[in-house]
Amino acid sequence: MVKGGKKLYGEVSVSGAKNAVVAIIPAAILVDGICIVENVPDIQDVRVLIAILENMGASVAFTDESTLKIDCRAISKQNEPDALMRKMRASYYLLGALLGRFRAAKVTMPGGCSFGVRPIDQHIKGFEALGASVWQDSDVIVASAEELKGTNVYLDIVSVGATINIMLAAVLAEGVTVIENAAKEPHIVDLANFLNAMGANVKGAGTDVIKVTGVKKLSGGAYSIIPDQIEAGTFMVAAAATGGNVLVKNIIPKHMESISAKLIEVGAKITEHDDSIRVEGDGELSGVNIKTQPYPGYPTDMQPQIVALLSTAKGISLVTEGVWDNRFQYVGELLRMGADIRVDGKSAFINGVDHLTGAPVRATDLRGGAGMVIAGLIAEGTTEITDIQYIDRGYEKIEEKFKALGADIYRVNS
Ligand code: EPU
């Protein structure tokens, strides 16, 4: 429940990156030793992954509120817990990790947010190039290999998931794997740094060519997850949208450049420090054009949040989705709040209105839900958001963090 109209003030500290941790926990399957993973966010996707690993025989425990100790030495590739895997998109990383470790993997088709068709042909192309046979029906994917041999894989589409999965399958393969047209997102660099800290040999992550030289084994160590670019961006947009003044802390400003640039264009004031950014939004905000793109472009995972802001910014905005086929489901919810938005295919034309009005709305997916929170914060009256389990998949204690900034927001336990 959000009562709108409060400007956000104060400081907020950003948690570890969801899209990094959902790759790094499965990556621990490849490690013949103990992994200490720090800065782990307490989100639903993490709990699901821990349960999946435990069901496979891993020993996983929090040693403090954000440090996870993972020991996968005793796991078996049997007993895959199907229902759990279906709960999250990133369970497909188990394919690359299990294939790398056991030369065999069986994974239930992933769930997660639905933005239309979510093919994994590029993941499969990579596994096959490494020497695996992959069999797939509507429900299950099975991969197996006599041996995995390094090779060149050119991705036809810049895919975060395929880049990560091929890295996972390649770290214990024989010889050198080169991934061309790789995705460059911060969480890809984070996974590479984790793997290297465990003894892998991965070079070039963060560029579009990644070179993985296979090693015999990974032997454990400690690693701290990067801050969440999208959580940080969500607070930055919320600060600007409410006309507040917020210091967003524990971030890597370099990762925020595309978001900062758009907020400046909208009319917010951005001040960058070493590991924090201040956002002030006290002037009038005006419409802008945005196209979402793979990193370093403006992130698709920050699309609903900025559309919520633009719904009351002066003038016309055009937001084009450049990654997913169908990521505007949440717009229907903004319309209920009085927004003036027309979606045509992959574009949304936004005519800024004077104000939004609180209404009962639904979180249609994780980031759509974050967009609803921002819309609720700027609306007149009360917004009731249902299906917040989507938001909990990827944001740690979202309502507590907003409350600490002065928002009138609370969770209703029904
Ligand atoms: N694609 C293919 N074939 C493939 C793989 C992808 O055609 O084999 C297409 C997709 O359909 C999409 C585009 O390529 O149109 C990009 O997909 P990508 O593989 O990069 O997405 P993903 O790995 O499934 C991750 C994040 C998403 C984020 C996208 C894009 C995780 C767990 N998920 O998904 O995050 O939107 O990258 O940056 O890392 C979120 O956090 O809310 C979220 C949805």
Side-chain angles (χ1 to χ4, degrees):
M1 206 76 94
V2 190
K3 217 181 265 172
K6 291 259 171 73
K7 296 182 176 190
L8 301 182
Y9 285 103
E11 301 183 354
V12 61
S13 186
V14 169
S15 303
K18 170 204 163 238
N19 286 345
V21 76
V22 298
I24 285 174
I25 295 177
I29 290 174
L30 294 161
V31 179
D32 189 7
I34 292 175
C35 308
I36 306 292
V37 187
E38 293 159 7
N39 204 28
V40 174
D42 180 14
I43 54 175
Q44 189 57 24
D45 275 7
V46 164
R47 291 188 209 119
V48 172
L49 275 171
I50 291 174
I52 290 175
L53 288 196
E54 283 177 339
N55 274 340
M56 288 178 179
S59 146
V60 189
F62 273 99
T63 56
D64 65 36
E65 63 174 17
S66 61
T67 304
L68 203 52
K69 185 176 167 192
I70 311 176
D71 182 353
C72 288
R73 282 175 293 188
I75 68 163
S76 74
K77 62 181 191 289
Q78 308 298 326
N79 303 327
E80 303 85 358
D82 294 5
L84 283 171
M85 286 184 185
R86 241 184 278 268
K87 281 193 178 173
M88 61 178 304
R89 184 76 196 157
S91 53
Y92 57 34
Y93 293 146
L94 297 165
L95 265 179
L98 289 169
L99 187 62
R101 163 129 178 215
F102 295 110
R103 305 294 191 251
K106 180 175 167 214
V107 169
T108 306
M109 279 301 266
C113 294
S114 161
F115 315 126
V117 187
R118 291 182 74 164
I120 58 163
D121 54 295
Q122 299 301 307
H123 305 227
I124 293 172
K125 172 178 166 173
F127 297 150
E128 288 178 340
L130 284 163
S133 307
V134 182
W135 175 86
Q136 182 182 12
D137 72 10
S138 59
D139 210 22
V140 172
I141 308 171
V142 181
S144 66
E146 292 284 317
E147 53 181 5
L148 293 173
K149 275 217 163 123
T151 182
N152 278 29
V153 184
Y154 177 83
L155 297 181
D156 301 313
I157 290 174
V158 179
S159 160
V160 170
T163 303
I164 287 180
N165 239 337
I166 298 166
M167 281 164 71
L168 292 173
V171 276
L172 297 177
E174 205 181 296
V176 179
T177 301
V178 179
I179 308 170
E180 290 172 274
N181 201 25
K184 299 182 277 217
E185 268 65 7
H187 33 286
I188 288 177
V189 179
D190 210 35
L191 173 68
N193 288 342
F194 167 82
L195 290 168
N196 288 340
M198 301 298 134
N201 183 349
V202 181
K203 297 208 169 88
T207 76
D208 52 16
V209 181
I210 298 177
K211 190 170 145 192
V212 184
T213 304
V215 295
K216 287 266 176 295
K217 78 175 221 169
L218 304 183
S219 41
Y223 189 75
S224 182
I225 306 241
I226 49 163
D228 196 305
Q229 175 206 28
I230 306 301
E231 187 198 359
T234 301
F235 284 112
M236 288 171 65
V237 169
T242 60
N245 181 338
V246 173
L247 185 68
V248 184
K249 297 194 307 186
N250 180 35
I251 61 174
I252 299 175
K254 171 100 189 114
H255 294 166
M256 309 310 300
E257 278 173 357
S258 62
I259 300 163
S260 296
K262 279 297 158 190
L263 285 175
I264 292 168
E265 223 178 300
V266 161
K269 184 174 168 210
I270 303 284
T271 316
E272 233 179 73
H273 306 285
D274 285 350
D275 62 355
S276 62
I277 290 182
R278 180 171 294 284
V279 181
E280 293 165 77
D282 50 3
E284 185 176 68
L285 303 182
S286 24
V288 293
N289 295 339
I290 297 181
K291 181 170 184 191
T292 69
Q293 285 168 13
Y295 190 82
Y298 185 91
T300 171
D301 293 344
M302 281 301 300
Q303 189 248 89
Q305 301 90 320
I306 199 80
V307 168
L309 176 149
L310 293 173
S311 67
T312 62
K314 192 168 184 318
I316 307 275
S317 301
L318 169 61
V319 174
T320 307
E321 173 56 40
V323 176
W324 295 109
D325 283 341
N326 182 8
R327 205 172 189 173
F328 286 118
Q329 294 101 320
Y330 67 90
V331 167
E333 309 300 307
L334 286 179
L335 297 182
R336 288 163 184 270
M337 299 176 73
D340 180 0
I341 303 173
R342 184 171 58 83
V343 174
D344 184 4
K346 290 187 169 192
S347 296
F349 300 86
I350 306 157
N351 185 10
V353 292
D354 178 60
H355 66 275
L356 297 180
T357 307
V361 294
R362 205 164 62 82
T364 52
D365 60 82
L366 167 59
R367 310 301 174 186
M372 287 307 118
V373 172
I374 293 173
L377 291 171
I378 59 177
E380 287 179 8
T382 302
T383 299
E384 183 189 336
I385 308 169
T386 53
D387 286 332
I388 58 170
Q389 72 276 9
Y390 285 114
I391 304 178
D392 290 334
R393 278 189 40 216
Y395 287 91
E396 180 174 50
K397 303 189 179 103
I398 190 168
E399 79 282 14
E400 287 178 29
K401 289 189 180 187
F402 273 120
K403 205 179 285 174
L405 293 173
D408 195 344
I409 179 170
Y410 58 96
R411 185 179 288 260
V412 183
N413 290 320
S414 57

